[in-house]
Amino acid sequence: MFERPKTLFAVAVALSFAVSKFSGGVNPYYYDIILSIGINIILAVSLNLVNGHTGQFSLGHAGFMAAGAYTAAAFTTFVPPHHIATTLFFLLALFAGGLAAALAGLAVGVPSLRLKGDYLAIVTLGFGQIIVVILQNIDAVGASRGFSVASGYTNFFWTYFFAALTVYVIVHLVDSTYGRGFLAVRDDEIAADAMGINTTKYKVVAFTLGAFFAGIAGGLYAHFKQFISPDGFDFFKSVDIVVMVILGGMGNTAGVIFAAVLLTILPEWLRTVSGCTFLPHWLRDVAQNRMILYSLLLIVLMLTRPQGLFGDARLFRRTPKFKKP
Amino acid sequence: MTEFIQQLINGLSLGAIYALIALGYTMVYGILRFINFAHGDVYMVGAYMGFYLAPSIMRGFGQKSIASGIVILVAAMAICAALGIVIERLVYRPLRNRPKLTVLITAIGVSLFLENAGQYVFGPDPKAFPDIINDHAIEGLGDLTVTVSQVLVLAVTVALLLLLTWIVKKTKLGMAMRALSFNPVAASLMGINNDVVIAFTFGLGSALAAAAGILFAISYPSIDPLMGILPGLKAFVAAVLGGIGNIPGAALGGVLIGLVETLVVGYSDTIHIPSTYRDAVAFAILILILLFKPTGLLGAADREKV
Amino acid sequence: MNPLLEIRDCTVRFGGLKAVSELNFAVGEGELAGLIGPNGAGKTTVFNLITGVYRPTSGDIRFAGKSVVGRRPYRITARGIARTFQNIRLFASLTVFENVRAAFIMHLSHGIFHALWRGPGFAREEARIDAQVMELLEIFHLGEARDALCKSLPYGDQRRLEIVRALATRPKLLLLDEPAAGMNPTEKQELMRLIRFTQEKFNIAVLLVEHDMRVVMGTCHRIAVLDYGVKIAEGAPDEIRKNPKVIEAYLGQEEPAHA
Ligand SMILES: Nc1ncnc2c1ncn2[C@@H]1O[C@H](COP(=O)(O)OP(=O)(O)OP(=O)(O)O)[C@@H](O)[C@H]1O
Ligand SMILES: [Mg+2]
């Protein structure tokens, strides 16, 4: 099914377009969840490039999302539209957000090159936190009070257009001889280096590109919720995304997409459970505290299935068919 | 000048708390080469143990008496030591030979679990820590304000550091711990089971974190289930600054981070860094060390063999 | 003989330990040279110096007339030095085929944008690489195993796969670190044949580190002996076999050196 990502991409875009024509009558509650799913797919798949394919465990993805969200929101708020078409204006804002996030990714990627594993995780966490602290101090965008975004440009079509674009780009990139470099860096950096692979370049590309899409997701999020605040992009948000990647199986794009869908619906479902008066008290309590479940899920998963729910059967892997001459 | 000395004193007592937490990170890293992400949350549990035990202990040993202070401290340390050992046994030990990433993710899981279970069990809102001591400013120091709690923090920290030094240098388990951090094979030659040494290390580190939790709660009497996150991260930075795996280094790093943070806040107007950047200071330091001296101040290079 | 690789007065220290001291050694174009020595003598360290994993404390290393000291390993590989590792370092999550394919990255003419756009040029290049990978695998009898995860291969095959992967970078000099380790006598015979064959077919120089004396003596034209980081002898296999210093260096060894 993923043999032809280009076709898949076209189909996804066409489908988003078609569906968006009928989304008028959808219950706003479900519409909200559906958009959240799309944004989370972008976040998880882009983080998967860094954490999964390239094996550089980052805990700062929410920071890049924040950079994108604030830049895009500031763009639509402060830049006069100059009579350009609304859509173009919005796309420019998203692109600005992606670019700002990519720059932040570059700023993290370069100094982190020498770091591995735990250290890298903490440094990216630190960078993410620094971004949050900086945002808390910029008065023009509301500082820690939060930032109201007037325009709710984000809709079904653009959300899923970018989700499809993210998947397309990352799948194509990894699934090529060029892309083997990401996996080689993940599996054994020293050996990769010895095989003539510029490991630095791969890591920086992964960080920058991953951050770019996180920034796009941020821009979409800002113009969807129409209110953003620095706290919303803290460490816990990063963990949310990391859990999607781990649950789906690091490096397994299809699994990660599935996990993003599942983990976006799950809290809503848990909310329903916690409201069911006929259920025992403790169960409702637990359901109310989603993070307890997440943390237990992480621990149990690592103890029993560290490769994630779907293993590392990389559905996107293409081993070329070789015909004997 | 007075102002500067005042800042130094404040920084020192904050740094002492970071130092106690940092020791746990560094000891565990020394023998297992992994960052126990959940360590900061053990510190939080330590503070809560103090909170729950204080009333009954003070009923038995006297209100605000030295005896009850010591009993509260020791009890919280013992409980957290047990917690540390249990976590190691249940979660980390089965993962001992797994990829580092697996262990790291698990540690994040444990950390999140403690934080969220803490919110559930202890309640999410901040709680006022009971008065265990008669905290007030010590008189006769002119313009300097030195509180009893600050003196207490420093005194207890020094005492614990001396105790730790003795344990590590003179006791058999402590020596086995050091041996293990150099060479796992050599350590097992000492006739002590590695599992025991590792459990001991976790216990020791967690006990120190609990002490830090109590000391923090005495100085800043408001505790909440997420209170461990930032001090935990800063203490980790302290451990890296001192050279991860190096025990004196962790203490030194803790004190330095405490000082720098306090000075940045104290002189925020002069150096044009708003004091709201306080929590970013430690991370900035971390990034700088890793860029310029990844082995930390006292650490030795740990090169991967090819 | 025109020295392809020249190690001049190279010393490397790890803290107090001098792992290699003032080593002088050269490998000529197309030569089959050997580097032997007891455990811990510094052989792997020499490889790490040549490939840029470590930097010499002092001294110079020249390859094809230019110094490689201070160059990043991938650049040194690009100049024409490839290696295998003593403790096998294959890309564990990749298949046999993909392991070799990864080593073609350095010769790619396309980059990110081609990979994303996937025009006809991209397809041609990928097809060409696929064919070249298979050709190499077939030469080394690994064609059948192309879709197996490299972890699942027998030990000897993994070592051969490492050689294939190194060859895929099209080196002028191939460094082999204990390729015969863990092989049975038949596999060792086959390996010796392969090394000689590789040297001829690809017309490259080979520097071989190996504990099995039969393999070293049977393949190399010239052998250098290291002991505690110092070169204690150098010469043709027959001279080395008889050299009293070499015999003495190996006497301290638990394992007899099959000399
Ligand atoms: N990264 C390092 N840090 C510290 N010491 C090292 C490092 N790499 C190697 N050494 C030391 O240098 C010496 C030489 O090691 P090396 O691995 O080069 O030996 P070798 O000749 O390859 O031995 P073997 O036959 O066992 O493979 C040894 O004493 C080793 O412990
Ligand atoms: Mg060796």
Side-chain angles (χ1 to χ4, degrees):
Chain A
M1 133 177 187
F2 295 116
E3 281 286 304
R4 296 170 178 278
K6 228 177 194 167
T7 322
L8 186 73
F9 176 64
V11 170
V13 171
L15 210 64
S16 340
F17 186 73
V19 174
S20 68
K21 291 287 143 203
F22 301 100
S23 60
V26 177
N27 174 338
Y29 172 72
Y30 291 118
Y31 190 67
D32 247 46
I33 296 177
I34 289 169
L35 289 204
S36 300
I37 288 176
I39 291 172
N40 282 336
I41 288 177
I42 303 177
L43 289 169
V45 171
S46 59
L47 182 65
N48 191 29
L49 175 65
V50 184
N51 290 23
H53 295 118
T54 322
Q56 308 296 304
F57 200 80
S58 161
L59 275 180
H61 216 51
F64 303 133
M65 184 189 177
Y70 271 87
T71 309
F75 190 97
T76 53
T77 309
F78 300 120
V79 177
H82 287 303
H83 311 290
I84 31 175
T86 321
T87 306
L88 185 60
F89 185 60
F90 177 50
L91 287 181
L92 279 176
L94 286 183
F95 190 70
L99 219 55
L103 284 178
L106 199 63
V108 179
V110 171
S112 314
L113 286 172
R114 284 194 276 166
L115 308 176
K116 290 197 185 66
D118 315 20
Y119 274 84
L120 182 70
I122 301 238
V123 167
T124 48
L125 192 167
F127 265 112
Q129 217 58 32
I130 288 177
I131 292 179
V132 170
V133 172
I134 291 175
L135 290 174
Q136 281 171 342
N137 283 283
I138 303 180
D139 227 25
V141 291
S144 43
R145 298 180 305 278
F147 186 23
S148 293
V149 186
S151 33
Y153 292 127
T154 301
N155 58 20
F156 181 89
F157 174 72
W158 286 116
T159 305
Y160 279 87
F161 172 82
F162 281 108
L165 185 70
T166 310
V167 175
Y168 173 87
V169 166
I170 288 174
V171 169
H172 265 56
L173 194 59
V174 174
D175 177 25
S176 64
T177 299
Y178 179 88
R180 298 298 96 173
F182 295 103
L183 310 180
V185 167
R186 170 186 70 189
D187 281 356
D188 192 326
E189 224 179 301
I190 289 175
D193 215 344
M195 292 310 123
I197 295 170
N198 185 349
T199 54
T200 305
K201 191 179 81 184
Y202 275 96
K203 286 196 252 178
V204 171
V205 167
F207 261 108
T208 315
L209 201 61
F212 176 80
F213 285 115
I216 298 269
L220 288 166
Y221 179 83
H223 295 90
F224 154 50
K225 293 287 181 191
Q226 293 183 263
F227 176 78
I228 46 180
S229 83
D231 310 341
F233 303 103
D234 63 1
F235 171 60
F236 291 106
K237 178 67 193 173
S238 291
V239 169
D240 269 355
I241 312 169
V242 166
V243 174
M244 290 172 194
V245 172
I246 294 170
L247 186 70
M250 295 210 268
N252 178 346
T253 308
V256 167
I257 294 173
F258 182 82
V261 177
L262 186 73
L263 290 181
T264 317
I265 299 175
L266 191 67
E268 305 302 325
W269 184 74
L270 288 176
R271 192 168 304 154
T272 319
V273 170
S274 65
C276 290
T277 39
F278 59 86
L279 289 171
H281 232 301
W282 65 268
L283 193 65
R284 291 169 56 197
D285 275 351
V286 171
Q288 222 158 29
N289 204 332
R290 161 178 70 97
M291 288 306 280
I292 294 189
L293 283 181
Y294 273 30
S295 54
L296 284 176
L297 179 76
L298 266 188
I299 298 171
V300 172
L301 206 60
M302 285 303 110
L303 285 167
T304 55
R305 267 190 86 78
Q307 70 276 40
L309 275 190
F310 310 101
D312 41 37
R314 294 193 304 276
L315 292 186
F316 290 97
R317 184 172 65 202
R318 174 194 66 117
T319 310
K321 305 283 171 289
F322 182 76
K323 293 172 227 55
K324 282 202 173 172
Chain B
M1 193 59 206
T2 321
E3 163 73 8
F4 185 67
I5 295 175
Q6 180 71 56
Q7 298 292 352
L8 284 188
I9 294 170
N10 296 351
L12 214 56
S13 61
L14 180 63
I17 291 171
Y18 292 156
L20 287 175
I21 311 175
L23 287 166
Y25 278 116
T26 243
M27 289 191 293
V28 168
Y29 191 91
I31 55 171
L32 292 179
R33 297 282 181 278
F34 100 95
I35 297 169
N36 181 11
F37 237 85
H39 191 60
D41 304 299
V42 173
Y43 152 94
M44 172 274 292
V45 174
Y48 270 95
M49 289 305 112
F51 173 84
Y52 286 112
L53 294 175
S56 47
I57 288 178
M58 285 201 290
R59 236 172 283 129
F61 292 86
Q63 292 294 324
K64 301 185 185 178
S65 72
I66 294 181
S68 33
I70 293 178
V71 174
I72 292 171
L73 188 72
V74 172
M77 286 171 73
I79 294 174
C80 284
L83 175 66
I85 292 171
V86 168
I87 293 175
E88 193 275 328
R89 179 69 195 85
L90 289 183
V91 189
Y92 298 145
R93 191 178 300 176
L95 297 173
R96 191 99 31 97
N97 294 316
R98 296 276 197 82
K100 281 179 103 173
L101 204 53
T102 310
V103 188
L104 172 70
I105 295 166
T106 313
I108 294 173
V110 174
S111 165
L112 290 171
F113 178 76
L114 289 178
E115 283 155 18
N116 292 288
Q119 292 190 330
Y120 178 63
V121 177
F122 306 139
D125 301 319
K127 285 192 164 37
F129 197 75
D131 288 328
I132 297 179
I133 56 162
N134 238 329
D135 199 9
H136 57 83
I138 295 169
E139 284 169 36
L141 293 173
D143 292 337
L144 282 183
T145 323
V146 179
T147 60
V148 176
S149 61
Q150 284 179 322
V151 176
L152 190 74
V153 166
L154 291 176
V156 173
T157 304
V158 169
L160 287 174
L161 285 181
L162 290 177
L163 182 68
L164 179 70
T165 312
W166 178 78
I167 291 176
V168 169
K169 292 240 156 97
K170 295 283 188 272
T171 66
K172 200 166 176 201
L173 267 173
M175 284 192 282
M177 204 173 99
R178 279 195 304 160
L180 191 56
S181 72
F182 283 116
N183 183 343
V185 184
S188 52
L189 289 181
M190 286 183 63
I192 297 185
N193 187 337
N194 282 356
D195 286 344
V196 175
V197 182
I198 292 170
F200 177 71
T201 310
F202 269 86
L204 202 58
S206 306
L208 292 174
I214 301 274
L215 292 176
F216 177 86
I218 289 174
S219 325
Y220 310 89
S222 165
I223 60 175
D224 68 272
L226 300 184
M227 66 184 275
I229 301 178
L230 274 177
L233 288 169
K234 290 175 187 171
F236 167 74
V237 176
V240 176
L241 175 61
I244 195 136
N246 183 305
I247 293 179
L252 175 69
V255 171
L256 286 177
I257 298 280
L259 282 174
V260 173
E261 190 182 319
T262 311
L263 290 176
V264 166
V265 176
Y267 290 97
S268 60
D269 295 338
T270 333
I271 55 175
H272 303 292
I273 298 178
S275 57
T276 35
Y277 278 93
R278 149 178 222 148
D279 293 332
V281 170
F283 291 119
I285 294 178
L286 175 68
I287 290 159
L288 291 178
I289 324 165
L290 291 175
L291 279 182
F292 296 109
K293 195 159 179 357
T295 53
L297 296 175
L298 306 182
D302 188 18
R303 256 198 285 196
E304 185 179 358
K305 284 203 180 171
V306 179
Chain C
M1 193 173 56
N2 193 1
L4 178 66
L5 173 79
E6 231 185 315
I7 301 174
R8 291 185 189 162
D9 293 324
C10 256
T11 298
V12 67
R13 289 171 188 278
F14 296 119
L17 175 85
K18 241 186 193 178
V20 173
S21 88
E22 278 141 44
L23 177 69
N24 280 289
F25 185 65
V27 180
E29 248 162 70
E31 192 186 7
L32 270 171
L35 186 61
I36 62 172
N39 287 108
K43 306 175 297 284
T44 301
T45 307
V46 171
F47 274 18
N48 286 334
L49 289 174
I50 300 172
T51 53
V53 177
Y54 299 153
R55 205 193 157 118
T57 317
S58 65
D60 195 15
I61 298 172
R62 307 183 77 79
F63 183 73
K66 277 195 275 182
S67 175
V68 294
V69 172
R71 299 271 148 246
R72 293 265 314 274
Y74 81 94
R75 290 203 175 274
I76 296 177
T77 308
R79 291 222 197 144
I81 303 181
R83 72 177 289 182
T84 65
F85 294 89
Q86 178 173 357
N87 43 351
I88 300 174
R89 284 178 172 268
L90 289 166
F91 302 124
S93 72
L94 302 189
T95 62
V96 168
F97 183 91
E98 289 177 327
N99 260 279
V100 182
R101 189 172 170 214
F104 273 88
I105 290 176
M106 57 178 282
H107 299 297
L108 280 180
S109 62
H110 73 245
I112 291 191
F113 294 102
H114 282 76
L116 291 183
W117 181 248
R118 315 228 139 177
F122 170 84
R124 269 197 302 278
E125 184 164 27
E126 293 284 294
R128 205 192 65 229
I129 290 174
D130 289 357
Q132 287 173 337
V133 171
M134 273 325 283
E135 194 184 320
L136 274 175
L137 285 176
E138 299 286 0
I139 293 177
F140 288 83
H141 311 304
L142 287 165
E144 301 281 300
R146 50 170 298 199
D147 290 329
L149 273 184
C150 62
K151 286 183 290 195
S152 66
L153 291 187
Y155 206 65
D157 287 358
Q158 293 195 19
R159 292 223 172 263
R160 262 186 302 141
L161 179 57
E162 267 213 335
I163 299 178
V164 179
R165 190 180 63 170
L167 284 173
T169 66
R170 293 181 214 143
K172 298 193 195 84
L173 170 65
L174 178 63
L175 309 177
L176 301 176
D177 201 344
E178 305 200 11
M183 288 188 174
N184 62 35
T186 342
E187 283 178 317
K188 282 181 185 170
Q189 282 298 326
E190 168 67 10
L191 177 78
M192 288 165 66
R193 198 191 60 75
L194 265 178
I195 294 175
R196 272 181 255 128
F197 167 80
T198 309
Q199 187 265 334
E200 275 165 32
K201 173 160 170 81
F202 300 95
N203 190 28
I204 57 178
V206 177
L207 179 56
L208 176 68
V209 162
E210 185 48 67
H211 274 299
D212 188 306
M213 289 303 147
R214 248 184 294 253
V215 174
V216 188
M217 301 285 169
T219 21
C220 300
H221 308 144
R222 195 164 50 87
I223 296 171
V225 188
L226 280 185
D227 191 23
Y228 292 109
V230 181
K231 186 171 81 177
I232 55 170
E234 184 175 346
D238 280 336
E239 294 162 35
I240 295 297
R241 216 192 304 262
K242 292 187 210 109
N243 189 319
K245 275 198 202 161
V246 177
I247 296 169
E248 195 184 334
Y250 273 97
L251 275 183
Q253 288 280 95
E254 286 170 29
E255 208 183 346
H258 324 286

